[in-house]
Amino acid sequence: MVLLGSGLQYLKEGVTPHMWCPGCGNGIVLAIIFRVFEELAYRNEETVVVTGIGCWGKADDYVVTNGFHGTHGRALAFATGIKAFNPRLHVIVLMGDGDCITIGGNHFIHAARRNIDVTAIVVNNFNYGMTGGQVSGTTPAGMYTSTTVYANPERDVDICALAAVAGANYVARGTPYHGFELEINMKEAFDKKGFSVLEVVSPCPTHYGKNNAMKTPVEMLKWIKNRALPKAEYDSLDPSMKDDYFPIGKLVDKDVPDFNARYDEIRARAMKGRTA
Ligand SMILES: Cc1ncc(C[n+]2csc(CCOP(=O)(O)OP(=O)(O)O)c2C)c(N)n1
Ligand code: SF4
């Protein structure tokens, strides 16, 4: 029996226990996705979950909706094709920070610029979890990974700031610790027409936590929780303190016409010109 409100009807049968490590944030994020699917009454045949490669990229193994498991860094390219061809589908793209920003950064910029009507849920655990905890484009400077054992000399990309400046209609950030807020922002992201991005700052205790002297999954989750501030509180910080924190909640909410709306308008004009 599936409890109403749990969203468990979207979980494939016979696939648990899942492959993620104890204390990983991925399971919490997937459970919230299922609840939001239920709240929005998404039907399996009109929903497509698109992934690339990585621990979070395995999420499509667990869903009963349509799934598309693509190649590393290219999930948004596949999702763009799916949505452009069939605008009636709900297209949800699940990517790790490596998938989305490090190898896939160029697709991310262009999906936002194009304002394609898909929702990207980016689980940012600050490293390449699946392949052993290597440095990623979102690893903060000075932190340790398996390939920066004397500390990362590079600066990190702010996923939300990049999405905003590139033209996304909706941008929000959350953490698995702030589950209720995450659910609200996820529902807004799914509902929004145009490109929407939800970054989830999430624990990878197995690699990032261990490499940075966080001995348990709880320590890693607390490390994230202590850095997350509601946007208004973050904005009021002295600039010298901002590097130690990140804002959570809704960051951008616009209604610029999405790619398919603009494409339809241009096509209608072109067809009229032809028959005139
Ligand atoms: C083109 C290509 N390059 C590299 C790899 C190897 N690879 C698989 S998963 C992965 C990193 C995944 O990291 P991330 O996207 O952050 O997801 P996570 O595992 O942390 O959830 C890499 C480098 C690959 N599969 N394809
Ligand atoms: S390696 Fe990290 S990201 Fe991958 S399942 Fe384990 S804790 Fe999660």
Side-chain angles (χ1 to χ4, degrees):
M1 188 186 76
V2 173
L3 291 175
L4 266 186
S6 66
L8 276 181
Q9 65 274 33
Y10 294 96
L11 174 68
K12 210 181 262 177
E13 266 179 48
V15 290
T16 50
H18 57 63
M19 55 80 72
W20 296 313
C21 309
C24 179
N26 290 348
I28 299 173
V29 185
L30 187 62
I32 295 175
I33 291 175
F34 288 159
R35 282 211 293 275
V36 176
F37 277 179
E38 181 176 309
E39 281 175 58
L40 296 174
Y42 276 12
R43 291 185 304 142
N44 295 341
E45 62 274 21
E46 63 186 20
T47 307
V48 191
V49 171
V50 183
T51 60
I53 307 286
C55 293
W56 182 227
K58 290 288 285 174
D60 63 285
D61 284 356
Y62 304 109
V63 301
V64 292
T65 66
N66 295 290
F68 186 104
H69 191 59
T71 45
H72 193 41
R74 307 292 176 255
L76 277 168
F78 299 122
T80 299
I82 292 167
K83 185 71 190 187
F85 186 73
N86 189 347
R88 284 167 302 163
L89 296 173
H90 307 297
V91 182
I92 291 96
V93 192
L94 309 182
M95 296 171 288
D97 46 273
D99 224 356
C100 170
I101 279 295
T102 318
I103 186 171
N106 201 35
H107 291 295
F108 186 69
I109 292 169
H110 291 291
R113 176 185 67 79
R114 194 172 281 131
N115 204 19
I116 188 84
D117 181 28
V118 308
T119 298
I121 301 188
V122 188
V123 170
N124 177 10
N125 56 24
F126 307 115
N127 70 178
Y128 288 178
M130 176 167 265
T131 43
Q134 294 89 345
V135 71
S136 144
T138 63
T139 309
M143 298 301 277
Y144 299 90
T145 70
S146 62
T147 48
T148 54
V149 292
Y150 298 108
N152 178 23
E154 300 179 356
R155 289 172 297 176
D156 54 319
V157 174
D158 180 333
I159 294 174
C160 290
L162 181 59
V165 80
N169 257 0
Y170 182 91
V171 182
R173 185 188 282 114
T175 87
Y177 183 90
H178 304 84
F180 292 115
E181 293 88 340
L182 193 60
E183 189 168 331
I184 291 166
N185 288 140
M186 195 182 287
K187 195 170 168 213
E188 288 174 347
F190 283 6
D191 260 343
K192 174 61 68 173
K193 202 104 184 107
F195 190 54
S196 52
V197 177
L198 177 62
E199 177 191 356
V200 187
V201 177
S202 182
C204 171
T206 301
H207 298 301
Y208 196 75
K210 288 220 172 97
N211 282 327
N212 288 284
M214 291 175 255
K215 290 198 180 69
T216 63
V218 173
E219 269 185 64
M220 168 107 233
L221 193 60
K222 279 189 179 158
W223 182 80
I224 289 172
K225 177 211 157 200
N226 292 336
R227 278 159 184 74
L229 291 180
K231 184 181 174 328
E233 206 178 320
Y234 177 84
D235 288 344
S236 69
L237 284 178
D238 186 86
S240 65
M241 294 181 65
K242 284 194 167 166
D243 278 356
D244 295 332
Y245 298 93
F246 56 84
I248 55 170
K250 184 161 66 176
L251 306 174
V252 173
D253 190 353
K254 298 187 301 191
D255 289 304
V256 175
D258 70 297
F259 171 82
N260 284 99
R262 280 179 288 130
Y263 186 82
D264 285 349
E265 198 188 300
I266 290 166
R267 188 172 53 185
R269 265 209 317 270
M271 296 306 285
K272 216 168 137 192
R274 239 187 235 173
T275 52

